[in-house]
Amino acid sequence: MRAITVRDRDAGVSGLSLTDMPYPHAAENDVIVRVHAAGFTPGELDWPGTWTDRAGRDRTPTIPGHELSGVVVELGYGTTGLTVGQRVFGLTDWARNGSLAEYTAVEARNLAPLAADIDHTVAAALPISGLTAWQGLFDHAHLTTGQTVLIHGAAGGVGSIAVQLAREVGARVIGTGRADDRDVALSLGAQTFLDLDADDLQQVGEVDVVFDVIGRDILERSTELVRPGGTLVTIAAPPTVQPRDGRAIFFVVEPDRARLADLAQRLRTRRLNPIVGAVRPLSETASAFARRRRTSGKTIIQVADEQGTQHS
Ligand SMILES: NC(=O)c1ccc[n+]([C@@H]2O[C@H](COP(=O)([O-])OP(=O)(O)OC[C@H]3O[C@@H](n4cnc5c(N)ncnc54)[C@H](OP(=O)(O)O)[C@@H]3O)[C@@H](O)[C@H]2O)c1
């Protein structure tokens, strides 16, 4: 099968190449998915799991990409809950071959069924950003109605979903980002927007929750905005500073079939709109990863169309 692979950790994005790889093996509780659309995270070539297995052993050549939408074509031994021919979407494991391929092996519990009226290219934009936004806001920060949340990177992949989810629960949302992000953040439901290059963050006042996707100085400057008893959640890196009288939490997103199903239902009813930017064929993955120019929305790699025709 055709897949995007990496072999050389020092090569960066130029090491991504379109290669022939063996068809994957369905281990116990796995399914094989024929990938229709795949999502990737620009920084994933720096993640240890891209290069080694859970025991730290070299596993190159590896296939990157951890978000997918496609169709189940095979069940591993003992796998229940999904059937051959079913449309699914979800996350692949960080330390196994991923979704930038015609086929991939995934634990069934990482996937949720996908209704026929949701496009694969839209569904593939949701697993990481949707689960991360939900887990950060509600599982870790326990955001509730009437509270105020400051969401950094509010027009980005995770932030744009977080803004929509926080508004829906009845929170007051302050979004941040670059000047160009203002209209998108406000249209998604942020009541206020701050340009991090021009506006003073301190003008925000106290907030119940900070949701940070940027880290470093933005994170540090945000800790003093957290109200006593409030929470700062960051997904960028473990925080080196704490709010004076609050919690600081770093976490890595976890698969959650029930939550994915809930997010898919929100997509169907248009309560949630992931921003899909460019859609590119598998052969253009390297240039999609390398893209420097700012584009709005997540870049999706279309591997096959709805009829199963390959896109190269
Ligand atoms: N821990 C986890 O489980 C987890 C899960 C998902 C993602 N992540 C990480 O979280 C980060 C965000 O992911 P994402 O998918 O949301 O990325 P993204 O789509 O690039 O969104 C980040 C947004 O923040 C903006 N931004 C970054 N630095 C800024 C600054 N200094 N001033 C103003 N705006 C700034 C970006 O603008 P520009 O594009 O102009 O920089 C972009 O709009 C990534 O590092 C990703 O690897 C972690």
Side-chain angles (χ1 to χ4, degrees):
M1 66 166 189
R2 291 170 330 123
I4 297 294
T5 58
V6 286
R7 292 162 194 274
D8 177 3
R9 205 167 179 157
D10 298 323
V13 168
S14 63
L16 291 158
S17 63
L18 187 60
T19 332
D20 264 332
M21 287 287 278
Y23 183 83
H25 167 72
E28 210 170 295
N29 298 328
D30 273 354
V31 296
I32 303 294
V33 178
R34 165 131 207 212
V35 180
H36 282 244
F40 59 86
T41 305
E44 69 181 75
L45 300 184
D46 298 326
W47 299 348
T50 301
W51 306 99
T52 56
D53 64 17
R54 284 178 173 273
R57 289 177 298 240
D58 179 86
R59 65 179 193 88
T60 55
T62 59
I63 301 172
H66 295 286
E67 292 169 289
L68 67 86
S69 186
V71 174
V72 174
V73 292
E74 192 184 327
L75 303 179
Y77 180 75
T79 301
T80 56
L82 296 176
T83 53
V84 170
Q86 189 166 21
R87 297 173 97 240
V88 289
F89 79 120
L91 290 175
T92 65
D93 196 282
W94 311 123
R96 289 178 79 183
N97 278 341
S99 58
L100 289 166
E102 288 172 341
Y103 297 91
T104 190
V106 196
E107 280 191 83
R109 64 180 176 176
N110 291 12
L111 302 172
L114 182 71
D117 55 359
I118 303 177
D119 203 278
H120 286 298
T121 54
V122 177
L126 193 60
I128 290 183
S129 48
L131 289 176
T132 306
W134 184 280
Q135 290 167 12
L137 290 176
F138 304 120
D139 296 342
H140 297 292
H142 308 296
L143 182 74
T144 58
T145 310
Q147 291 190 321
T148 299
V149 56
L150 172 67
I151 299 175
H152 290 309
V158 178
S160 63
I161 301 289
V163 168
Q164 297 175 65
L165 294 175
R167 259 319 282 280
E168 199 176 17
V169 82
R172 181 172 160 258
V173 178
I174 304 163
T176 80
R178 316 254 185 215
D180 286 354
D181 297 329
R182 179 180 302 273
D183 291 348
V184 172
L186 295 177
S187 72
L188 293 173
Q191 281 108 326
T192 311
F193 180 85
L194 286 185
D195 169 0
L196 288 173
D197 295 321
D199 297 330
D200 177 14
L201 201 50
Q202 307 322 113
Q203 78 187 60
V204 164
E206 284 193 330
V207 299
D208 298 285
V209 173
V210 173
F211 190 113
D212 169 59
V213 307
I214 299 172
R216 301 177 306 273
D217 64 309
I218 302 294
L219 168 77
E220 283 172 28
R221 281 157 50 203
S222 303
T223 54
E224 52 207 72
L225 304 175
V226 177
R227 174 169 296 158
T231 307
L232 181 152
V233 173
T234 180
I235 59 168
T240 52
V241 286
Q242 295 269 334
R244 240 188 339 274
D245 184 17
R247 300 178 304 149
I249 295 167
F250 166 75
F251 74 100
V252 174
V253 60
E254 290 181 30
D256 180 341
R257 176 186 284 177
R259 185 57 57 203
L260 279 178
D262 168 70
L263 292 167
Q265 186 55 22
R266 287 163 193 264
L267 270 185
R268 289 190 80 190
T269 53
R270 304 196 186 284
R271 286 154 65 201
L272 193 60
N273 293 298
I275 309 174
V276 177
V279 177
R280 298 266 176 266
L282 196 57
S283 58
E284 291 178 22
T285 303
S287 62
F289 252 79
R291 205 171 180 84
R292 289 270 176 270
R293 194 169 61 80
R294 285 203 86 205
T295 49
S296 89
K298 190 168 173 78
T299 300
I300 294 298
I301 302 300
Q302 186 169 34
V303 184
D305 63 22
E306 205 60 54
Q307 287 69 45
T309 311
Q310 289 164 15
H311 284 249
S312 56

